[in-house]
Amino acid sequence: MARSAIMNVMVQAAMKAGRSLARDYGEVQNLQVSLKGPADYVSQADRRAEDIVRTELLKARPDYCFLMEESGEINGSDTQHRFIVDPLDGTTNFLHGIPFFGVSIALERQGQIVAGVIYNPAMDELFTAERGGGVFLNDRRMRVANRRKLEDCVIGTGIPHLGRGHHGEYLVELRNVMAEVAGIRRMGAAAVDLAYVAAGRLDGFWEDNLQPWDMAAGLLMVREAGGFVSDKDGGQNIFGKKNIVAGNELIHKALMKTIKKPI
C-alpha cells in the first residue's frame, strides 16, 4: 500500500517507540516477582516512549503542535496541525505483563483527524489509516464486521475502576448490553479496542471517561473501515464529552439505544 510522507513519519515514530516498549515489557515481566514491583519502571517506559515519538515527529514537522498524555499541550507555530499522542495505551496491561497495549498517534488538521497509527509491539500489529484512504492492518485492508443484530455480536467496553467514572451508571449500561449480545470484552486499551472494531474483531465498542489521545487514531480507523462513531448522545462532541460509541451503522444505532435504556 502507498503511504503519504507524513504517514511514513508517524509509522516510523510508532514503531521506534514500540521497540522501546517491547524491551521494557520484557523487563516488567521479570520485575513482577520483585518486592518493589514494576510500577516505577513502567512510568519511565511510558515517558521514554513519548520522548521517542515526539523526537521523531519533530524531525519531520518541527512546527506542529502536540497533545500528549504525559506532556500535555505543546504549542507550535503551525496551529493548523496537531499530533495527538498516547505513547502507552493500556498501561495497566503493560504493568501486569498482559500483551494488549499500544502506541497511538493521530494527526489533526484544522480540527479534523486526518491520519492515525496504532501499533501493538507485543503482537507486532500495525494499524494505519488516512482520511479517504481506508484502514490497514499490516498493509492488509480492513472493514468493520457486517453483523446486523446485537445478539450475534461481541462488544468491547471499558469498565470504570478505582477513582474513575460513575460506577452505578455504568453497571446499568452493562446490564442492558449483557442482555442483548453474544459476548462482552474488556481488553484494557481503548485505542487498540477501536482498531479491533475497524478490523472486524469487535462488532462494537463503548466507553466513558476517555481522553482525546485514547480515541483520536481509533475513531478515524473505524470511520475509514466503513463504521460509525459518535458520543453517547449521537453527536460528534466526542472529545468534549469524553465518551464514544462505535460499530457498523446498524450495530452503532442498536448499541446507542441499548445503553440508554432506563433502569
Side-chain angles (χ1 to χ4, degrees):
M1 55 165 280
R3 296 187 182 129
S4 69
I6 191 60
M7 175 57 73
N8 284 328
V9 170
M10 292 166 65
V11 166
Q12 180 179 336
M15 295 191 74
K16 188 170 182 178
R19 288 192 293 271
S20 175
L21 287 174
R23 290 190 295 271
D24 289 331
Y25 180 68
E27 289 300 315
V28 165
Q29 290 177 309
N30 293 331
L31 288 167
Q32 289 290 349
V33 298
S34 73
L35 183 62
K36 182 179 178 182
D40 291 341
Y41 190 87
V42 171
S43 65
Q44 294 169 19
D46 200 341
R47 287 192 294 270
R48 272 193 294 270
E50 185 171 281
D51 288 343
I52 289 169
V53 170
R54 185 183 176 197
T55 298
E56 292 298 311
L57 296 178
L58 280 173
K59 286 178 185 176
R61 298 294 188 274
D63 298 329
Y64 283 15
C65 302
F66 284 80
L67 176 62
M68 311 184 82
E69 182 183 21
E70 299 301 320
S71 303
E73 288 270 10
I74 302 172
N75 293 323
S77 59
D78 183 347
T79 58
Q80 302 299 305
H81 292 89
R82 181 171 70 160
F83 289 116
I84 303 175
V85 178
D86 190 343
L88 176 52
D89 182 58
T91 305
T92 302
N93 284 346
F94 189 95
L95 173 66
H96 287 266
I98 299 169
F100 194 86
F101 56 89
V103 182
S104 177
I105 305 172
L107 175 61
E108 183 182 62
R109 177 179 296 134
Q110 297 179 333
Q112 286 192 319
I113 306 301
V114 297
V117 175
I118 297 170
Y119 179 53
N120 179 351
M123 299 180 183
D124 195 25
E125 290 190 330
L126 177 71
F127 300 85
T128 58
E130 293 190 78
R131 189 166 179 242
V135 58
F136 297 83
L137 167 55
N138 293 346
D139 294 338
R140 186 163 60 92
R141 188 154 192 164
M142 296 287 104
R143 295 286 295 176
V144 292
N146 61 4
R147 294 181 182 87
R148 303 174 65 84
K149 297 179 180 179
L150 278 178
E151 64 192 52
D152 299 321
C153 291
V154 173
I155 302 296
T157 188
I159 300 173
H161 51 79
L162 179 66
R164 290 280 301 274
H166 303 287
H167 294 198
E169 178 182 319
Y170 175 78
L171 288 172
V172 172
E173 295 177 356
L174 181 61
R175 185 191 67 183
N176 290 342
V177 177
M178 284 169 60
E180 300 288 339
V181 302
I184 294 177
R185 300 291 182 268
R186 198 279 197 249
M187 309 286 214
V192 188
D193 284 324
L194 288 166
Y196 272 36
V197 174
R201 293 173 174 178
L202 292 171
D203 297 287
F205 177 77
W206 94 100
E207 187 169 355
D208 284 292
N209 297 301
L210 293 173
Q211 297 296 331
W213 49 78
D214 298 315
M215 303 181 281
L219 67 82
L220 175 67
M221 290 178 185
V222 174
R223 288 171 179 157
E224 288 298 319
F228 286 70
V229 182
S230 73
D231 58 49
K232 286 167 58 178
D233 295 317
Q236 292 302 309
N237 189 18
I238 296 169
F239 291 171
K241 294 187 177 179
K242 299 185 178 182
N243 60 55
I244 193 167
V245 183
N248 69 31
E249 183 177 9
L250 293 175
I251 298 308
H252 173 265
K253 188 180 297 183
L255 188 55
M256 290 267 301
K257 182 178 178 181
T258 301
I259 63 177
K260 284 186 165 294
K261 283 182 180 178
I263 298 175

